[in-house]
């Protein structure tokens, strides 16, 4: 490495940002001006507001893949979020992006998830089908703009435009320039045209590179820790992975080098290699994509018409193969789907009960009973249920229906 490379690397470590990175000093701002901070950038303030929110703490008791009651060492939605955050920062640092914005988006990206993971989301989506359905990314926006009410002067967390944009669009544009859905089979989530923000969130453009880093970190975390949890649960054995795309070469290497060590150590050696390989591939491929487009500002990234933080084509294909394996052998296994089906019954019964009675605690019940119409009441009920942790949902189900709410 040349001395110039040394200096460039040191600059990145010390916080130097590239021209295409988001600059907190040039933020489009917040809906409500809180004044400047002498010690933190605007994106650091967003990160801190998210970490101190009630919704963030609740992630500790929300399902990732394996339901909360099944074991204390499986990932929860919180531990998943922390892993995504760490990976997003690593990618952002290597690409000279704003690490704090990448972290803020990563920390907030799952705040809209329901109890019992995607199982709860499917139920709420069905229940709200008449009124636009339920989408966890849009629910995260509702959480940070409307439902987290901690501040004296406003509802929500009053995050910057850039963080809101990242939460909403980290998986890509939602509409075309005319505001139409990009895919006929994927309708727009309700409330898209009514998000409290300091400026239009431009649903037709890509998000910042920091948000894209958070999105791909989410994929990397899923790929890696779902294998680890599936091995812990006994759904698969490490030998089952030798021919699986992306992970297979690392399994063969570890088994050949350490054939006699504990399975847990073998699994960890595979996992760390898998994470490292994916992150290094993303950094290399993204560097090429950025150089090819040549953005000179964060807005150049938004209008680039393609995702710039991405896997290389061979790794992207292998990653899809790994996901197919996980869906077949883990996510759709009887051991996972049995509790999932029972958890869906819990959420469905709670929703129907609250819709009829409005008997939710405090302001929730009052708002539901005074709702203008059934659609407004349904959205309030969905907001209440989506904010539940797994244990709280089970507790309420047992209390309301005199049932022993056990999912196992």
């Amino acid at each position: 490495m040349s001395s110039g490379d040394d200096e460039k690397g040191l600059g990145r470590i010390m916080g130097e940002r590239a021209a295409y990175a988001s600059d907190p000093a040039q933020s489009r701002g917040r809906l409500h001006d809180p004044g400047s901070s002498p010690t933190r950038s605007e994106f650091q303030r967003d990160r801190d507001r998210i970490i101190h929110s009630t919704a963030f703490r609740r992630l500790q008791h929300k399902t990732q893949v394996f339901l909360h009651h099944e074991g204390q060492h499986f990932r929860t939605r919180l531990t998943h979020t922390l892993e995504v955050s760490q990976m997003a920062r690593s990618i952002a640092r290597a690409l000279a992006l704003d690490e704090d914005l990448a972290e803020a988006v990563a920390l907030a990206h799952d705040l809209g998830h329901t109890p019992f993971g995607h199982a709860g989301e499917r139920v709420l989506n069905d229940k709200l089908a008449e009124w636009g359905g339920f989408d966890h990314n849009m629910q995260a926006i509702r959480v940070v703009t409307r439902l987290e009410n901690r501040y004296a002067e406003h509802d929500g967390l009053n995050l910057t435009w850039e963080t809101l944009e990242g939460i909403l669009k980290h998986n890509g544009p939602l509409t075309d320039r005319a505001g139409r859905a990009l895919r006929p089979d994927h309708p727009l989530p309700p409330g898209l045209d009514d998000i409290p923000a300091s400026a239009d969130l431009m649903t037709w453009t890509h998000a910042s590179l920091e948000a894209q880093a958070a999105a791909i970190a989410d994929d990397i975390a899923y790929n890696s820790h779902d294998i680890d949890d599936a091995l812990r649960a006994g759904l698969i054995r490490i030998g089952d992975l030798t021919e699986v795309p992306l992970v297979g070469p690392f399994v063969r290497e570890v088994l050949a080098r350490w054939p006699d060590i504990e399975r847990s150590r073998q699994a960890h050696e595979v996992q760390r290699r898998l994470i490292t390989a994916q992150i290094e591939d993303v950094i290399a491929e993204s560097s090429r994509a950025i150089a090819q487009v040549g953005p000179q500002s964060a807005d150049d990234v938004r209008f680039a018409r393609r995702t710039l933080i991405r896997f290389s084509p061979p790794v992207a294909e292998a990653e899809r193969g790994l996901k197919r394996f996980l869906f077949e052998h883990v996510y759709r296994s009887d051991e996972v789907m049995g509790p999932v089906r029972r958890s869906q019954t819990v959420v469905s019964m709670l929703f129907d009960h609250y819709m009829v009675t409005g008997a939710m605690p405090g302001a929730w019940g009052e708002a539901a009973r005074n709702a203008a119409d059934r659609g407004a009441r349904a959205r309030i009920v969905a907001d209440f249920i989506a904010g539940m942790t797994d244990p709280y949902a089970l507790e309420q189900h047992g209390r309301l229906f005199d049932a022993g709410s056990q999912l196992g």
Side-chain angles (χ1 to χ4, degrees):
M1 180 180 290
S2 69
S3 59
D5 290 334
D6 286 336
E7 291 174 2
K8 185 176 181 180
L10 180 60
R12 292 186 180 186
I13 292 171
M14 297 301 292
E16 177 184 310
R17 280 187 297 269
Y20 46 74
S22 297
D23 184 351
Q26 301 298 319
S27 170
R28 285 175 167 87
R30 307 173 190 274
L31 192 63
H32 307 279
D33 182 8
S36 61
S37 169
T39 59
R40 296 174 296 167
S41 77
E42 292 305 307
F43 301 150
Q44 288 171 338
R45 296 173 82 180
D46 282 356
R47 174 203 60 205
D48 297 347
R49 288 174 180 226
I50 292 162
I51 287 176
H52 290 285
S53 69
T54 301
F56 184 78
R57 292 196 300 276
R58 286 175 178 156
L59 297 178
Q60 180 179 0
H61 300 292
K62 290 193 176 189
T63 288
Q64 180 62 26
V65 172
F66 296 91
L67 294 174
H68 175 73
H69 78 284
E70 293 180 325
Q72 296 303 312
H73 297 295
F74 295 127
R75 268 75 173 183
T76 66
R77 191 63 64 177
L78 177 61
T79 54
H80 164 73
T81 295
L82 294 175
E83 291 181 7
V84 173
S85 172
Q86 180 269 320
M87 294 175 194
R89 286 194 72 107
S90 295
I91 294 168
R93 183 180 304 118
L95 297 173
L97 307 177
D98 189 285
E99 294 179 45
D100 300 311
L101 178 57
E103 182 178 23
V105 174
L107 291 172
H109 85 284
D110 270 355
L111 292 181
H113 266 291
T114 65
F116 313 122
H118 290 286
E121 181 177 4
R122 286 192 291 271
V123 173
L124 292 186
N125 189 49
D126 289 342
K127 295 292 186 181
L128 271 67
E130 183 179 347
W131 304 287
F134 180 93
D135 175 85
H136 76 265
N137 284 329
M138 193 66 209
Q139 189 67 16
I141 290 288
R142 288 180 63 78
V143 167
V144 301
T145 60
R146 300 182 185 277
L147 302 179
E148 276 285 331
N149 295 322
R150 303 168 57 86
Y151 296 88
E153 297 180 340
H154 55 77
D155 290 341
L157 299 181
N158 194 31
L159 303 177
T160 62
W161 184 94
E162 289 78 10
T163 298
L164 292 178
E165 179 209 33
I167 298 170
L168 183 67
K169 300 189 302 185
H170 60 273
N171 290 323
L174 299 178
T175 71
D176 63 15
R177 187 62 185 262
R180 297 176 298 237
L182 294 178
R183 288 170 26 204
D185 62 336
H186 197 263
L188 298 177
L192 198 58
D193 57 351
D194 186 32
I195 300 173
S198 61
D200 178 13
L201 291 175
M202 301 190 301
T203 57
W204 65 91
T205 67
H206 284 273
S208 64
L209 291 178
E210 289 83 0
Q212 294 181 36
I216 205 161
D218 191 25
D219 288 335
I220 294 170
Y222 265 112
N223 294 339
S224 307
H225 65 48
D226 287 357
I227 290 174
D228 187 45
D229 283 351
L231 289 167
R232 288 175 181 271
L235 296 183
I236 57 175
R237 297 172 300 174
I238 196 164
D240 297 334
L241 299 168
T242 55
E243 300 304 321
V244 174
L246 195 60
V247 70
F250 305 118
V251 173
R252 295 193 296 271
E253 175 192 344
V254 168
L255 293 181
R257 187 171 179 182
W258 296 291
D260 300 321
I261 63 172
E262 300 99 314
R263 291 300 186 191
S264 61
R265 291 177 184 257
Q266 291 175 335
H268 178 69
E269 290 296 333
V270 169
Q271 185 187 23
R272 61 193 288 263
R273 284 163 171 74
L274 180 60
I275 291 171
T276 298
Q278 290 175 97
I279 290 177
E280 290 180 350
D281 180 80
V282 165
I283 292 169
E285 176 64 19
S286 302
S287 296
R288 287 191 289 270
I290 292 168
Q292 186 177 35
V293 171
Q296 295 302 305
S297 69
D299 274 346
D300 286 350
V301 170
R302 293 185 175 93
F303 294 106
R305 296 176 178 262
R306 54 178 159 157
T307 301
L308 300 180
I309 307 295
R310 62 199 191 196
F311 293 116
S312 66
V315 171
E317 177 60 31
E319 193 248 359
R320 288 190 289 270
L322 173 57
K323 277 187 165 63
R324 287 192 294 270
F325 174 88
L326 290 172
F327 268 98
E328 180 179 351
H329 296 276
V330 178
Y331 308 141
R332 295 293 177 258
S333 68
D334 290 340
E335 291 87 346
V336 170
M337 289 305 298
V340 161
R341 285 187 285 269
R342 291 188 284 277
S343 72
Q344 288 176 318
T345 299
V346 169
V347 174
S348 179
M349 292 176 69
L350 288 175
F351 184 92
D352 292 345
H353 175 80
Y354 294 139
M355 278 295 289
V356 171
T357 67
M360 296 175 288
W364 288 104
E366 182 180 354
R369 291 188 292 272
N370 295 328
D373 52 41
R374 279 182 55 80
R377 174 179 281 205
R379 190 60 58 183
I380 293 167
V381 171
D383 285 342
F384 180 62
I385 292 176
M388 290 181 172
T389 62
D390 293 16
Y392 184 73
L394 292 172
E395 175 189 324
Q396 293 305 300
H397 180 264
R399 181 181 65 82
L400 292 170
F401 301 105
D402 192 26
S405 299
Q406 298 296 322
L407 299 182

